[in-house]
Amino acid sequence: MIRRDGYLQKLIDRERNGLVKVVTGVRRCGKSFLIFNLFHEHLLSQGVPEDHIIEIQLDDRKNKALRNPDVCDEYVKSRVGEGQHYVLLDEVQMMPGFEDVLNGFLHIGNLDVYATGSNSRFLSTDVITEFRGRGDEVRVHPLAFSEYHGAVNGDWDDDWNDYSTYGGLPYILSLKSDADRAEYLQRLFRETYLQDIVERNKVRNDAELSDLVDVIASSVGSLTNPQRIVDTFKSVKKVSISAPTVKSYLAYLEDAFLVSHAKRFDVKGRKHIRTPCKYYFEDVGLRNARLNFRQQEETHIMENILFNELVARGLQVDVGVVDVVERGA
């Protein structure tokens, strides 16, 4: 069991604050484990009775009926009795109109609400508009290197080499062979992440989307923009694609938490430059898997890991260039 104490403490700090605790992050990063295992264990340790913890995993077929908002609403209300209760909902985006349902739960005075989701439909501005200021986000990321190293407890250099190659998705730690790790990451990307994006956004040309992922993976740590990506498609892929299409695909990837971008900041002029920017993968293992574990540039991979570490600590990260003038020049 990997103790994700930082994320657990964020949930503990938000207990009974009158808001919907929305736990977000890329699929397979440990959101469900956090609330259904670690947080559940915490509640029991505080004396909360088992039947006062209402767990609903909406991606489980046996709970298919509860994806209906009216059915879910009635079910939860029927479970709430005397004393403090907690409702933990997983993959809440699978319920149409979930915002109204969760907002409605807030009117039950002895019910504390927690929900997870795997896309950003209900983040940032949507939390403000749909939850009307009643949403409180806790963003979960794949394992940081400190968490990975602490769980493996091996030689530091060996752990770093494994982490910088296969990343920090928690399930990776249960796989012993390099072949199994590589197969898991490649299958996960192909059959889960990309398929989710295609279905959610009704992408008609999934081959273009797949090629774009490869281009972004190859250019981690390099400044780019949609037009440069268009040019790459023409020169390398021999394919024509429009800049608006590229922008849409990039937005889909960010919406699924697969990549994030860092704006370029003019350090000397102290202002942001509209383009270009850098794109980083949420997990370097997924990035490497897309390239069949070629292009193992140590500096670019380390830059991606450092970006993720800073973001996980709650910092806003920009990229930029500082000109250094040699003495005597």
Side-chain angles (χ1 to χ4, degrees), residues 81-238:
E82 296 295 325
Q84 182 66 46
H85 286 65
Y86 298 80
V87 60
L88 315 178
L89 297 103
D90 195 24
E91 299 298 352
V92 73
Q93 79 276 356
M94 299 183 73
M95 183 196 308
F98 64 85
E99 300 94 341
D100 287 340
V101 175
L102 299 186
N103 279 334
F105 290 159
L106 296 181
H107 295 293
I108 304 175
N110 61 333
L111 183 64
D112 202 18
V113 185
Y114 299 78
T116 77
S118 294
N119 69 12
S120 60
R121 176 173 166 253
F122 49 97
L123 295 184
S124 61
T125 56
D126 285 337
V127 165
I128 296 173
T129 57
E130 299 296 340
F131 283 95
R132 297 184 290 278
R134 298 175 180 175
D136 193 355
E137 180 196 355
V138 175
R139 174 74 183 276
V140 178
H141 300 270
L143 300 175
F145 177 66
S146 59
E147 293 177 304
Y148 182 94
H149 179 54
V152 176
N153 198 28
D155 176 78
W156 195 97
D157 289 330
D158 290 341
D159 288 351
W160 173 260
N161 288 333
D162 287 343
Y163 181 81
S164 61
T165 301
Y166 300 108
L169 293 179
Y171 187 68
I172 284 291
L173 275 73
S174 68
L175 302 174
K176 303 304 179 183
S177 74
D178 291 345
D180 286 344
R181 294 175 180 178
E183 181 185 1
Y184 168 70
L185 291 170
Q186 291 170 331
R187 185 178 66 251
L188 185 63
F189 212 123
R190 181 179 62 253
E191 298 178 4
T192 300
Y193 297 139
L194 285 185
Q195 194 60 36
D196 276 354
I197 292 171
V198 169
E199 292 177 359
R200 184 185 308 140
N201 300 287
K202 297 180 174 58
V203 176
R204 288 179 294 180
N205 194 334
D206 55 349
E208 277 186 352
L209 175 64
S210 182
D211 286 343
L212 175 65
V213 171
D214 292 338
V215 169
I216 295 299
S218 181
S219 64
V220 158
S222 301
L223 289 167
T224 189
N225 60 31
Q227 187 56 53
R228 290 187 184 182
I229 294 173
V230 167
D231 295 340
T232 299
F233 267 83
K234 289 181 179 178
S235 62
V236 178
K237 302 288 185 179
K238 308 302 180 185

Side-chain angles (χ1 to χ4, degrees), residues 3-11 13 34 138 147:
R3 304 295 312 184
R4 311 204 71 182
D5 293 332
Y7 296 117
L8 177 59
Q9 189 60 50
K10 289 183 178 181
L11 293 183
D13 291 343
L34 174 63
V138 175
E147 293 177 304

